Structure formats: C-alpha cells, structure tokens
Amino acid sequence: MQYLHPYKALTSSATCVRYVKSLLLQQLGGGPSVFGSGDEKIMALSGFYPEDWPAVNFLTLMLYRWKRGELDLPPVAAAPVVNESAFTGSPYGREGIDVYFDFLELKRQETREVTAFYHKARPNVVAVFLGGREFEVAATTDLAAQTLAVRRASPSPHTPEGAATLKYSHALVFKIPPSPREFMPLTRQVADLIKTAASLPPQERSTAKVEKKDIYLLHGGREVEDGVVLDNDVYMYI
C-alpha cells in the first residue's frame, strides 16, 4: 500500500524499478529509458549499480516534488535506472559491459538511447546521481565548480558525466547516502545547485571533420560527403 503514497515509497530503504519508472512516466512523459520531451535544460541519470538505490529514490523524489510545485527547477529529463540489469542484481547484463563505463564506445542499448536523447535535448547540465556513504557534490567544469563552490572532478571520458564534458554540458555528480530521513531537506539543496548550474553559459566546442564512422554519428555527428562533422571532442578519445 505504500506505493499509493510516493513520499513514503521514496523515503524508504527499498526501490521498485517498475514503480519509479511508472511514476516518472506519469510526471514527465516520454520513455522507455529517458523520461522527458527532448528540449530539457537538465538531464538527470541514476541507477547504474545496486548500491545506487538511494540515488534512484532521491532523484525520483526530487522530480516528484518539482512537479508538485514544491521545488523550483528548469525542465528536467531523467533516466532513473539506466542499467536495470545491474541495478537488480546482474553485474553487467547479457553483454558483459558495464553501462557506466560505456558512454564513449556506446556498445550497450541503454547508453545509445541515453546518448541519442542527450544530443536531441543538448542540455546545459547533466546531473549524475550515485549512491555514497556521505553527501558529496562535484562539478566537471571549472566554471561550474567555482560558481557552485564545490569540488572540481575530472571523470573518465567513458562515464556519463565525463562524456558530457567532452560535448556541450556542465556535469554534476551527486553522491547520495543511504539516509532516507535526510532526503527531503537535501532535495531543496540539490535543486538549488542544479538550477544555478543550468543558468551558466553552455560549453563552447569548435567543429571538427573526422573520418566517417558509425560511432561518430551516434555521438551527434553530421554526415557530409567526405566524413563526419562533430561539434564535440569525443573523436579524440575513440
């Protein structure tokens, strides 16, 4: 019966993937992997590993409060559980690939879907929510780190926040501790940080023409007669 009460469900120590996705489908629309219309300024991702359950519940709670008018946020698209197979217990799924470290090579269907949506929306901010022992915040660009007064992180380009910094977004990483009682006050703090980051100037990238490869097209490239034109830096790492 707790699922009739989202606040109770999302401030518990359990996560029902089906419930979370259903709730965000009702609130944000879209799907099946990313919920949103495709023109959002923020893209929020969570649910890569079993220990990310606090991040999944927290993100869903924050978005639910936003849609109820309790928090102020720019439009948000979200993938609450990016890697459902790993989140529910299978280490990497059938393909044996860790989704979290697949945002450069795009071997998994989940990462291709999230990346396609990313290029459609071109959000100012990518916010990645992970489970952690304590609440932590890090930003992947100097401007975001200085403006928000948080730690500057340099993630692997294979991770979702690392891939975002190679394209046209600021990225934020939130570590959410397994303390559901703290979720309600933390949602306001996190919403304020994301809102501020979304107001920052977008990342500027120069264009480059590279040889034609399908992987570059998946990363938002535009095919021309003698190659692919990219306005991001992923080609340097592939």
Side-chain angles (χ1 to χ4, degrees):
M1 291 298 291
Q2 70 169 335
Y3 294 142
L4 298 176
H5 307 282
Y7 290 115
K8 184 176 181 179
L10 300 173
T11 55
S12 71
S13 57
T15 301
C16 174
V17 174
R18 187 174 179 181
Y19 174 73
V20 164
K21 289 189 173 184
S22 176
L23 186 63
L24 287 193
L25 177 61
Q26 295 172 22
Q27 300 296 320
L28 303 182
S33 295
V34 185
F35 300 94
S37 63
D39 57 357
E40 288 82 1
K41 295 190 68 174
I42 299 165
M43 187 173 191
L45 310 174
S46 64
F48 296 93
Y49 305 105
E51 58 268 26
D52 289 339
W53 69 263
V56 173
N57 284 7
F58 180 90
L59 171 60
T60 308
L61 176 64
M62 184 179 70
L63 296 175
Y64 183 70
R65 295 192 69 198
W66 165 54
K67 296 304 288 186
R68 288 177 58 87
E70 299 173 8
L71 296 175
D72 185 17
L73 278 172
V76 183
V81 182
V82 176
N83 188 0
E84 185 171 348
S85 60
F87 186 73
T88 56
S90 177
Y92 302 125
R94 291 187 301 274
E95 296 91 344
I97 300 166
D98 187 340
V99 167
Y100 186 70
F101 290 99
D102 188 40
F103 277 85
L104 200 61
E105 296 180 332
L106 303 181
K107 294 179 179 179
R108 285 286 296 268
Q109 180 64 25
E110 296 96 324
T111 53
R112 290 194 293 271
E113 290 181 16
V114 170
T115 300
F117 193 98
Y118 173 80
H119 286 291
K120 178 183 177 183
R122 292 194 171 222
N124 285 20
V125 175
V126 171
V128 177
F129 292 80
L130 305 172
R133 293 184 178 181
E134 297 180 354
F135 179 68
E136 297 179 19
V137 187
T140 59
T141 62
D142 290 330
L143 180 59
Q146 293 168 7
T147 303
L148 303 177
V150 298
R151 181 173 63 87
R152 167 74 159 85
S154 298
S156 163
H158 290 82
T159 62
E161 64 271 27
T165 65
L166 301 177
K167 298 172 185 174
Y168 17 74
S169 302
H170 304 281
L172 303 177
V173 184
F174 295 95
K175 296 285 186 70
I176 307 299
S179 306
R181 290 184 179 181
E182 300 177 13
F183 286 0
M184 292 294 281
L186 277 178
T187 54
R188 188 170 299 279
Q189 180 180 347
V190 170
D192 288 343
L193 289 170
I194 293 176
K195 180 183 176 182
T196 301
S199 68
L200 296 175
Q203 293 282 87
E204 295 292 338
R205 301 294 185 195
S206 58
T207 59
K209 186 162 65 176
V210 295
E211 61 180 307
K212 182 180 177 182
K213 290 183 179 180
D214 289 342
I215 187 69
Y216 295 142
L217 298 176
L218 292 173
H219 275 290
R222 176 172 56 86
E223 186 175 0
V224 294
E225 185 175 343
D226 55 347
V228 174
V229 175
L230 282 171
D231 62 348
N232 61 67
D233 300 335
V234 294
Y235 66 94
M236 298 172 59
Y237 297 89
I238 295 176

